[in-house]
Amino acid sequence: MKITSVQFVKGVRGSDSIFEDGISQVAFIGRSNVGKSSVINSLTGKKDLARISSFPGRTQRINLFLINKSLYFVDLPGYGYARVPGKIKGKLGAMVNWYFFLSGYNQKRVVLIIDAKVGPTKDDLEILEALGEYKKNIIIVANKIDKMGKKECEEQFEKIKSAVGDQKIIPYSAKKKIGIKELLAEIL
Ligand SMILES: Nc1nc2c(ncn2[C@@H]2O[C@H](COP(=O)(O)OP(=O)(O)OP(=O)(O)O)[C@@H](O)[C@H]2O)c(=O)[nH]1
Ligand SMILES: [Mg+2]
């Protein structure tokens, strides 16, 4: 399936009637700066749809994009902000936690994005475990594979596979537009 239309609907900071309008949500989660917003842009073919930045903590709301008039892509703040002041970190982290674990909202799919070169961090594995406990339908995207050669890529893939267990992993590059077809086939 293809994306034929996309529009930004709104950014929210918590409970909102939009989450209960009957339209399915596909949520993108991952450490700050891992490329969540970039992945959304690459999937939709729109460079400036979701705001991206080299500074961690760019996305500060829960942003909803309507895809093909029938599905929301949900862009979220990241977790594990290395350089963002503690207060923001706390607030944003709480918002993400609320959305996944307290709100009671259902996600059709949760796309957990990790850095392919870094591999799954402690934070990634913690989130993965929590998502599993809440029976979320997870898919893992290993982003930024363009930073590695073929051999390192293969080694990293094996490493990620053994760390995350029985999960589907898609090697991806938002920058070089690798893996788009595979990911769309999973989430649309
Ligand atoms: N080399 C490379 N860089 C990437 C890729 N995807 C994203 N980036 C870069 O990573 C940085 C962070 O990208 P964002 O999309 O803003 O990351 P995010 O996860 O949405 O970050 P927060 O909203 O702050 O949590 C930017 O400098 C991007 O250009 C990729 O596939 N390859
Ligand atoms: Mg972002």
Side-chain angles (χ1 to χ4, degrees):
M1 230 166 73
K2 268 186 148 177
I3 292 182
T4 50
S5 75
V6 47
Q7 71 200 95
F8 172 68
V9 184
K10 65 159 124 172
V12 302
R13 290 203 163 87
S15 179
D16 195 286
S17 58
I18 193 165
F19 292 118
E20 287 156 57
D21 65 4
I23 297 179
S24 300
Q25 299 155 39
V26 172
F28 294 76
I29 181 177
R31 280 187 304 120
S32 192
N33 223 36
V34 76
K36 297 172 295 300
S37 301
S38 300
V39 168
I40 289 181
N41 288 348
S42 65
L43 289 173
T44 58
K46 298 211 187 287
K47 234 173 50 206
D48 306 315
L49 184 72
R51 289 171 75 185
I52 66 169
S53 153
S54 57
F55 179 71
R58 168 74 268 173
T59 305
Q60 305 233 338
R61 295 179 187 215
I62 302 175
N63 290 314
L64 291 106
F65 302 92
L66 183 63
I67 307 296
N68 293 351
K69 301 206 172 6
S70 62
L71 177 79
Y72 290 126
F73 280 180
V74 183
D75 189 18
L76 290 142
Y79 48 83
Y81 316 88
R83 304 200 301 254
V84 172
K87 209 170 165 191
I88 299 176
K89 172 182 166 177
K91 256 195 193 163
L92 293 180
M95 195 159 81
V96 175
N97 267 331
W98 165 82
Y99 173 68
F100 283 107
F101 306 122
L102 300 171
S103 67
Y105 300 150
N106 201 36
Q107 293 86 27
K108 181 187 177 214
R109 211 79 204 259
V110 177
V111 183
L112 173 62
I113 302 175
I114 65 170
D115 186 313
K117 193 173 162 76
V118 174
T121 64
K122 193 169 157 278
D123 284 344
D124 293 330
L125 293 173
E126 267 178 36
I127 277 282
L128 180 64
E129 196 185 331
L131 291 169
E133 278 169 19
Y134 280 75
K135 304 272 182 283
K136 303 290 183 185
N137 187 358
I138 306 157
I139 177 139
I140 296 176
V141 165
N143 190 35
K144 306 195 184 184
I145 59 166
D146 57 274
K147 286 182 158 183
M148 298 178 287
K150 192 163 177 263
K151 184 156 178 286
E152 192 185 354
C153 234
E154 281 164 9
E155 284 166 8
Q156 278 303 97
F157 191 75
E158 288 307 314
K159 197 174 113 186
I160 295 167
K161 228 165 75 178
S162 64
V164 302
D166 193 19
Q167 298 284 351
K168 171 120 188 162
I169 309 158
I170 298 186
Y172 201 94
S173 168
K175 187 176 176 183
K176 292 276 167 74
K177 313 218 178 308
I178 302 167
I180 293 176
K181 233 176 89 186
E182 291 79 0
L183 184 54
L184 284 180
E186 289 287 335
I187 61 180
L188 285 191

